[in-house]
Amino acid sequence: MSTHKTVSNVTLTTLLGIMKRGEKFACLTAYDACFASILSEVGVEVLLVGDSLGMVIQGHDSTLPVTMDDMIYHTHCVKRGNRGSLLMADLPFMSYASESQTLENAAALMRAGAHIVKLEGGAWIANTTRLLTERGIPVCAHMGLTPQSVNRIGGFHVQGRDTEQAQLIIEEAQMLEASGANILLLECVPKSLAKTITESVGIPVIGIGAGPATTGQIMVLHDVLGVSPITPRFVKNFLKESDNGIPGAIEAYVKAVHGSSFPGEEHCFN
Ligand code: KIV
C-alpha cells in the first residue's frame, strides 16, 4: 500500500522549516505536465525544469544549445501538471550575461510559472543574485560542477577535490548567501566539502553527487528511471526495484531521501 503524502504548496519557508528541523527534502527534474503531476502527487518537494532537458529530451551532448524559448515552453508544461511542489526553472547558458537580459529572462520564467530561478556560477553571479532577489525573484545558486561551463572546466568532472579549490567554493557559497541566494545547489563535489558548506550557511543546500549531508537531494528524472544513456557514480535507478512502475520508483526515491538512505556511500565522491 502506498503511504506517500502529497505535497501541498511548498514554498521557500517550507524548505527552511525542513532544514531547521534537521529533516530532508526531495527534488527531481520535470519537463512535462504528466510527469510533473506524478512527481508532486507522490511528494517531491521541488520540481526543477532543468536545462538538462537539452541532453535528456533534445539529445544534445551538453546543455549549451538550450534556449529561453525552450525553458519557457517546458516551464509552462510543468506548471500545468504541478500539484503543489515548488517549481524551480533554470536560466540557460548566456541568458544572464547582462543585467537587462537577466531581468527580462528571469521575469519570463516567473511569468511562465516558476517560483524560483536557478543560475550557475560562483563569485561572478553574486551581483546577479542581488539584482534578482532585490526585485523579488528568488535565486538558487548552482555551484561545484556547473555544466554550462563544461568547455572551460574541460569535462564533467568532480570539483573541489584539492584544498585550494574547496576553500574557494566555501567562500563563494558564503558570498552567494550574503548576496541574497535563497538556496544553494552543489553538483559533484566531495561529500566532506558539501557537509562543510551545508553546516556553514543558513539556507537550504541541495546536492547531486554531493553526499548525504545536504538538506535536499536532486536527481535527473531520467536517471531515477534508468533511461539515461550514461550512469554516473551518484545515480541510482529506482525503477528496477519498484513494484508499482513509475509512481512506485518516484515514491521510493522520495522515501530514501527523507529517510537518509539515499545517497549511500557508493554514490559519493570522497
Ligand atoms: O539541469 C539540471 O537538471 C540540473 C540538475 C543536474 C541539478 O541542473
Side-chain angles (χ1 to χ4, degrees):
M1 192 186 73
S2 169
T3 54
H4 72 258
K5 52 175 197 280
T6 306
V7 292
S8 65
N9 296 332
V10 177
T11 64
L12 289 172
T13 311
T14 316
L15 302 184
L16 273 172
I18 291 173
M19 182 191 80
K20 285 182 181 151
R21 293 193 298 276
E23 297 171 358
K24 303 281 181 184
F25 63 85
C27 322
L28 271 177
T29 63
Y31 314 100
D32 65 36
C34 199
F35 273 102
S37 76
I38 294 174
L39 269 46
S40 59
E41 276 168 12
V42 166
V44 176
E45 278 91 356
V46 180
L47 305 182
L48 168 67
V49 186
D51 61 357
S52 53
L53 70 87
M55 299 172 84
V56 297
I57 303 284
Q58 299 173 334
H60 298 295
D61 60 5
S62 80
T63 58
L64 273 60
V66 176
T67 64
M68 269 308 297
D69 283 348
D70 295 332
M71 292 308 305
I72 291 168
Y73 171 79
H74 286 281
T75 302
H76 271 298
C77 296
V78 170
K79 180 201 160 62
R80 286 185 210 113
N82 184 18
R83 303 284 176 261
S85 304
L86 186 83
L87 203 172
M88 185 187 293
D90 268 339
L91 278 166
F93 179 62
M94 277 298 144
S95 67
Y96 45 103
S98 72
E99 284 197 3
S100 59
Q101 198 189 21
T102 302
L103 291 172
E104 192 178 318
N105 289 331
L109 290 180
M110 299 299 279
R111 287 192 193 104
H115 301 123
I116 176 168
V117 300
K118 175 163 79 62
L119 47 155
E120 298 182 4
W124 76 271
I125 57 164
N127 287 341
T128 314
T129 299
R130 192 176 297 287
L131 181 78
L132 290 170
T133 53
E134 282 180 351
R135 284 155 184 79
I137 299 184
V139 166
C140 171
H142 181 153
M143 309 178 67
L145 172 57
T146 48
Q148 292 174 14
S149 308
V150 63
N151 292 300
R152 181 179 55 75
I153 297 170
F156 295 98
H157 307 307
V158 180
Q159 300 296 300
R161 276 204 197 269
D162 65 70
T163 318
E164 218 173 292
Q165 209 195 20
Q167 188 54 35
L168 180 66
I169 298 176
I170 294 169
E171 283 165 18
E172 290 186 321
Q174 290 165 350
M175 179 191 292
L176 288 166
E177 179 187 23
S179 302
N182 304 89
I183 299 180
L184 298 179
L185 188 149
L186 293 174
E187 177 164 357
C188 288
V189 296
K191 65 176 188 177
S192 55
L193 175 58
K195 185 169 187 291
T196 303
I197 292 174
T198 303
E199 287 170 357
S200 74
V201 296
I203 52 176
V205 179
I206 300 172
I208 174 166
T214 56
T215 308
Q217 293 290 333
I218 188 159
M219 291 259 277
V220 170
L221 175 65
H222 293 57
D223 289 344
V224 170
L225 301 180
V227 294
S228 299
I230 42 166
T231 40
R233 178 185 175 86
F234 55 83
V235 161
K236 176 169 176 183
N237 176 349
F238 283 84
L239 188 58
K240 251 198 232 164
E241 295 160 18
S242 168
D243 54 10
N244 183 28
I246 290 173
I250 306 301
E251 193 174 348
Y253 166 71
V254 173
K255 274 191 182 155
V257 171
H258 287 176
S260 299
S261 61
F262 177 82
E265 190 54 37
E266 68 277 24
H267 306 114
C268 298
F269 301 108
N270 289 303

